[in-house]
Amino acid sequence: MADSLNPSIPMLKDELDIVIPTIRNLDFLEKWRPFFEPYHLIIVQDGDPSITIKVPKGFDYELYNRNDIIKILGPKASCISFKDSACRCFGYLVSKKKYIFTIDDDCFVAKDPSGKEINALEQHIKNLLSPSTPFFFNTLYDPYQDGADFVQGYPFSLREGVPTAVSHGLWLNIPDYDAPTQLVKPLGRNKRYVDSVLTIPMGTLFPMCGMNLAFNRELIGPAMYFGLMGDGQPIGRYDDIWAGWCTKVICDHLGLGVKTGLPYIWHSKASDPFVNLEKEYNGIHWQEELIPFFQSATLPKDCTSVKKCYIELSKQVKAKLGKVDPYFLKLADAMVTWIEAWDELNPSVAEIPNGTVKGK
C-alpha cells in the first residue's frame, strides 16, 4: 500500500478537484486509489456521448459528456473542443474548488529511484502552497524545498517570493514528444529522475503539458483555456501548449509563479506518431510565429486581473495572429466566449487586482 499524504502537508481534499478527460473506462484509477479516493473527480468524456464510461466503485465523481456540455453552456459550448483532450478545460469551468489537478488516463503512479511510489498529488500541493521566485534564479533551484535554501548573492528583498499559480509535473517512461521526434526516436524513453523543482524565470516561455498538471484555480483559472482543437479545427495536440503560453504571459504580468519538475508520473502509452503528425502539422509550422508573438506580448497596466489580461490577449491574437491564418480569428473569438462562460458558471466570484479572488 502506498504511503498516505505527509501529515505536515495539508491534503486539501475539500479544496481540490481532479479533472480527467477520457474516451474509455477508467480502470487506471485503481492504481491511483490510495491517492485519489479522498478527492472529488470531474470526468470529461470526449467523443461519442452515447458510450457509457465505467468508473471504479468507491470514487466520488461527476461525469460530463458532450450532451451535458451543450446543455450547460448552450451556444457557448462552441468554445469547448471535441475529440481532443482540450475538452478537459470544461472541468475547470464547473469546478468550484480552489485547486485543480489534471491527469491523463494513460498515466500511472511512478516510483522514485528508491522504489517508493510517488504521491504526485502531495508534491503538487507542496509546490502550490510554497512561493515561487521568478525574478531571480536560485542555483539550488527551489529554495523552499527540503534541503535547499537561498544561496549567497540572492537578493534579500526577493526571498519572500510570489504566489505559485501553476505546478507543472514531469513523466517517466514515454516522454511528451511531438510527432517528428516520436518518428525518429520510436524507442525513446525518459529514465532520468531529477529530484528538483524550479521556478520558470520571468520572461521565459515553456511547453506546458496537461497530463500531469496542477494549478490554483482562483489565481489563474480563467487563463487555463485549452483552445479550439480537434474535430472541425485545423490543429490538435497543441491545447495545453497554447494554454501554457497564455498563462505564462499573464503570470509574468501579474507577478505570479510557475514551477516545473517534481512530481513524476509514469506515462505508459505512446500514441500513433503518424496520426499525431496529421494533428500537429499546422502547429509545428505556426509555432515559429506564435512563440515570437508570445515572447513580445505585453499587457497594459490597467489589466489588473486574469480575465482582463485574457481578453486583452485575445485582442492581440486577433490583430496579430489573424494574419497567420484565419483560424486564429476564430480562436480569439473562442477565448472571449470562454471568459463569458467562466463568468456565467462562476457568478459569485469577483477578481481583485492582484489576481486573487474573493466572494462577493
Side-chain angles (χ1 to χ4, degrees), residues 16-92:
L16 185 147
D17 279 334
I18 299 174
V19 174
I20 305 169
T22 191
I23 58 171
R24 58 181 64 87
N25 294 334
L26 295 181
D27 299 328
F28 93 111
L29 285 172
E30 289 294 352
K31 300 293 185 181
W32 286 102
R33 186 178 292 275
F35 306 116
F36 288 3
E37 201 167 23
Y39 294 88
H40 180 68
L41 312 181
I42 300 177
I43 301 164
V44 183
Q45 178 181 339
D46 197 15
D48 186 352
S50 67
I51 296 175
T52 300
I53 295 293
K54 295 181 180 179
V55 182
K57 293 181 179 180
F59 288 95
D60 173 41
Y61 71 93
E62 53 191 299
L63 189 153
Y64 299 92
N65 60 32
R66 191 67 190 183
N67 292 339
D68 299 317
I69 293 172
I70 293 171
K71 182 178 180 180
I72 292 169
L73 293 183
K76 295 184 180 66
S78 62
C79 73
I80 304 298
S81 299
F82 183 57
K83 294 187 178 179
D84 192 280
S85 65
C87 68
R88 80 178 76 218
C89 62
F90 178 76
Y92 312 158

Side-chain angles (χ1 to χ4, degrees), residues 121-354:
L121 260 182
E122 177 179 10
Q123 182 64 52
H124 275 302
I125 291 169
K126 189 175 182 180
N127 291 347
L128 290 171
L129 294 183
S130 63
S132 292
T133 54
F135 306 122
F136 203 90
F137 189 79
N138 189 58
T139 50
L140 276 180
Y141 303 107
D142 191 337
Y144 307 103
Q145 295 286 312
D146 294 339
D149 209 331
F150 292 100
V151 297
Q152 181 182 11
Y154 198 98
F156 287 90
S157 61
L158 296 178
R159 294 190 182 191
E160 187 175 326
V162 301
T164 299
V166 180
S167 172
H168 179 257
L170 301 177
W171 346 266
L172 294 173
N173 197 36
I174 306 296
D176 185 34
Y177 282 158
D178 52 38
T181 307
Q182 281 182 297
L183 287 167
V184 299
K185 294 184 176 181
L187 301 179
R189 299 293 183 269
N190 181 34
K191 300 178 181 179
R192 188 182 181 201
Y193 178 95
V194 181
D195 187 9
S196 71
V197 178
L198 58 85
T199 297
I200 300 176
M202 183 179 183
T204 300
L205 297 175
F206 74 111
M208 190 173 80
C209 175
M211 65 183 173
N212 178 22
L213 178 73
F215 60 93
N216 185 321
R217 185 176 176 275
E218 291 185 354
L219 283 182
I220 201 64
M224 278 290 178
Y225 176 49
F226 277 44
L228 277 180
M229 304 280 157
D231 191 57
Q233 309 304 332
I235 185 174
R237 287 174 53 83
Y238 266 79
D239 50 318
D240 43 8
I241 297 172
W242 175 266
W245 290 335
C246 294
T247 295
K248 188 58 166 61
V249 168
I250 292 172
C251 281
D252 286 350
H253 177 74
L254 295 178
L256 301 171
V258 178
K259 292 187 177 185
T260 188
L262 302 178
Y264 284 91
I265 49 87
W266 182 269
H267 185 209
S268 68
K269 186 176 65 179
S271 48
D272 187 325
F274 293 100
V275 174
N276 290 347
L277 184 59
E278 184 177 356
K279 294 177 180 179
E280 295 173 9
Y281 177 79
N282 282 326
I284 293 169
H285 173 66
W286 289 337
Q287 72 181 18
E288 300 307 315
E289 297 189 62
L290 301 185
I291 292 172
F293 163 77
F294 282 106
Q295 286 175 325
S296 61
T298 57
L299 300 171
K301 291 182 178 180
D302 62 354
C303 286
T304 55
S305 73
V306 176
K307 287 189 286 189
K308 287 181 180 179
C309 289
Y310 203 71
I311 292 297
E312 171 60 28
L313 202 52
S314 73
K315 295 176 183 177
Q316 295 185 24
V317 167
K318 176 169 284 191
K320 298 182 180 180
L321 296 183
K323 301 172 185 177
V324 174
D325 191 272
Y327 161 74
F328 292 100
L329 299 175
K330 187 177 181 181
L331 177 56
D333 289 338
M335 292 169 72
V336 176
T337 302
W338 160 262
I339 294 297
E340 291 172 350
W342 187 278
D343 285 340
E344 185 175 310
L345 269 65
N346 298 274
S348 63
V349 175
E351 291 189 300
I352 56 177
N354 64 357

